């Protein structure tokens, strides 16, 4: 019975994520979540899950490295949230109902959170790379320093 529940839940999450890859929404997140659920019981799901994680990580890193991409993503997120709010307050938008409006708002907020996370991670990596070489135990970065000038 547990296997059937895991198969149905993981399958539904994965299918919903695939649909949201072309519709507004966090498609890759749901695909990865569905594959993660499936991978708990089915070994074949581990390989596509690793691929999905890798692609998601590459996307986050790309947004973190490029301020222009980050700005574009935040602009897109604001448009999603604005469309969702407009639909909820009663503006008649084509193909948008209350459920779609909530999904648009959640997607926009999720996208903003992802951009903030990516930019923060890029700053952390950059700060670590710029730290001067230290010695073991001094609490600083420990990298091999160049030869000392005597």
């Amino acid at each position: 019975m547990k296997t059937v529940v895991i198969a149905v839940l993981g399958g539904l999450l994965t299918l919903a994520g695939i649909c949201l890859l072309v519709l507004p929404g966090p498609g890759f997140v749901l695909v990865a979540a569905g594959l993660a659920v499936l991978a708990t019981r089915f070994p074949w799901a581990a390989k596509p899950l690793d691929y999905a994680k890798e692609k998601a990580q590459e996307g986050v890193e790309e947004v973190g490295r490029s301020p222009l991409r980050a700005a574009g993503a935040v602009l897109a997120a604001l448009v999603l949230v604005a469309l969702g709010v407009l639909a909820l307050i009663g503006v008649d938008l084509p193909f948008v109902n209350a459920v779609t409006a909530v999904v648009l708002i959640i997607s926009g907020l999720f996208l903003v959170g992802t951009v903030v996370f990516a930019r923060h991670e890029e700053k952390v990596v950059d700060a670590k790379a710029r730290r001067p070489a230290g010695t073991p135990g001094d609490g600083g970065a420990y990298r091999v320093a160049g030869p000392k000038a005597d």
Side-chain angles (χ1 to χ4, degrees), residues 55-133:
K55 288 299 177 186
Q57 185 62 35
E58 287 175 9
V60 168
E61 289 171 358
E62 185 62 33
V63 168
R65 282 191 299 267
S66 171
L68 187 59
R69 285 184 193 254
V74 168
L75 180 63
L78 293 175
V79 168
L80 290 175
V81 170
L83 288 173
V85 169
L86 287 173
L88 286 178
I89 63 172
V91 176
D92 188 28
L93 299 174
F95 307 112
V96 179
N97 59 24
V99 173
T100 311
V102 171
V103 170
L104 286 171
I105 293 169
I106 291 171
S107 299
L109 295 175
F110 180 79
L111 183 53
V112 168
T114 302
V115 170
V116 169
F117 171 78
R119 296 295 294 162
H120 173 73
E121 288 299 307
E122 183 63 25
K123 287 180 182 178
V124 167
V125 168
D126 190 45
K128 284 182 182 178
R130 293 181 189 275
R131 271 193 274 183

Side-chain angles (χ1 to χ4, degrees), residues 14-87:
T14 304
L15 288 175
I18 290 170
C19 290
L20 289 177
L21 288 173
V22 295
L23 299 170
F28 253 115
V29 174
L30 286 181
V31 169
L35 290 171
V37 169
L38 290 170
T40 62
R41 203 60 144 180
F42 304 103
W44 59 264
K47 187 172 181 178
L49 176 60
D50 290 341
Y51 178 78
K53 284 182 186 177
E54 181 181 310
K55 288 299 177 186
Q57 185 62 35
E58 287 175 9
V60 168
E61 289 171 358
E62 185 62 33
V63 168
R65 282 191 299 267
S66 171
L68 187 59
R69 285 184 193 254
V74 168
L75 180 63
L78 293 175
V79 168
L80 290 175
V81 170
L83 288 173
V85 169
L86 287 173

